[in-house]
Amino acid sequence: MLRVALGTAIRSLGSNRKFPVLFRKMASFCQEERGPANTLQYRIYYKNDKGQFISPLHDIPWQVSKGPNVYNMVVEVPRWTNSKMEIATKEPLNPIKQDVKKGKLRFVANCFPHKGYIWNYGAIPQTWENPKHIDPNTNQGGDNDPIDVCEIGSRICKRGEVIQVKVVGVLAMIDEGETDWKVIAIDVNDENADKINSIADVEKIKPGYLDATRSWFKIYKIPDGKPANVFAFDGEYKDRDFAEKVIQETHDFWVHSHDGSVECDFAMQNVSCSDSKFKTSCEEAAKIVDGAPGKGPAADITDEKAEKWFYV
């Protein structure tokens, strides 16, 4: 198994799988922006607590603690925004960038009554939905990305932020013939973190949120001329134990991509995975970032899709 230094210890979380509201982070990560925002050149690179450039996909640990499980989440898209930011899996050091379609920056349609994403949206690092693995539950391969997370807490996170979450369930979306798991999780520091420990708790504390989430994923590509998405299990949310088995499986795929037993087309450079065939030096990582353009002032957003409402 790959080993990553995990840093500062956390406060004991107890044995009843409930989580305290206050939570001390295991490690600190900071971001460095390069290129003007709202342009094709914009990137967010990451540094660890030693000031070394790292890959958020490969160098940030997937788990913070076990029993109960706490996971790191890289926030790609803050709630209420719709710039389609994502971990750049094919670029060295895997910075966050805005997705591009036909040479233009991609914005997800605002489908009435929603404005942008309705959760903080991101991914669990050190995971990979293997496209060559046919999932027996969905009969489809993975979507070739780290596993997605919808964080349902009260706070609007910052783009690129790394937060710690507990998982409460998962939705199995089938997106254009690919399995695209949507993990439902909550920030362990959220005011409701000690109350939400299951899918049933979500419906109790935040009624309607799960129905809205399923509807959002069903219709959000329709304004782009694509069909409605469908779901395995007739759109039923699966529980925490099921979700954590899926996450474990995607982590195992990521591990095998680094030991060379499974082929993966990600950019694999990392500075801390001791058993990885693709480990590089901190000096080489710094050279990658040095080659990126300077930050510069943000450009104006000219795509009307960013603000327009679509009625589906």
Side-chain angles (χ1 to χ4, degrees), residues 2 55 57-59 89-94 128 253-260 262-271 273 276-280:
L2 296 174
S55 160
L57 176 58
H58 302 304
D59 289 307
T89 60
K90 310 297 174 58
E91 293 188 11
L93 290 188
N94 315 111
W128 174 44
F253 288 139
W254 174 85
V255 169
H256 295 315
S257 73
H258 274 270
D259 66 22
V262 176
E263 185 177 351
C264 178
D265 62 357
F266 286 177
M268 306 293 281
Q269 295 95 332
N270 67 87
V271 300
C273 301
S276 172
K277 295 175 62 177
F278 308 97
K279 187 176 179 182
T280 190

Side-chain angles (χ1 to χ4, degrees), residues 101-229:
K101 294 294 183 183
K102 297 181 179 179
K104 295 179 60 177
L105 296 174
R106 182 181 169 197
F107 295 88
V108 169
N110 302 301
C111 294
F112 183 85
H114 306 303
K115 175 67 172 71
Y117 286 64
I118 62 174
W119 349 258
N120 296 303
Y121 189 74
I124 296 176
Q126 297 186 340
T127 62
W128 174 44
E129 295 190 58
N130 184 354
K132 294 184 179 179
H133 170 71
I134 305 302
D135 189 281
N137 298 294
T138 66
N139 295 317
Q140 306 291 341
D143 74 342
N144 202 32
D145 278 323
I147 197 166
D148 297 323
V149 184
C150 302
E151 192 282 314
I152 62 171
S154 302
R155 183 174 69 91
I156 298 176
C157 295
K158 296 179 181 179
R159 178 187 291 174
E161 188 175 353
V162 180
I163 63 174
Q164 287 70 50
V165 300
K166 63 173 179 176
V167 168
V168 297
V170 68
L171 181 66
M173 189 176 87
I174 310 299
D175 186 357
E176 300 183 40
E178 297 176 333
T179 304
D180 193 0
W181 297 103
K182 305 299 181 184
V183 173
I184 308 300
I186 188 167
D187 188 331
V188 294
N189 288 312
D190 188 79
E191 59 190 2
N192 289 312
D194 60 340
K195 301 175 184 176
I196 298 179
N197 297 284
S198 68
I199 283 293
D201 290 339
V202 177
E203 186 60 30
K204 179 180 178 181
I205 302 298
K206 300 192 174 192
Y209 206 174
L210 295 175
D211 286 342
T213 294
R214 184 169 41 233
S215 174
W216 194 98
F217 281 118
K218 179 179 180 179
I219 67 174
Y220 81 105
K221 289 188 176 181
I222 292 178
D224 298 326
K226 296 184 178 181
N229 283 319

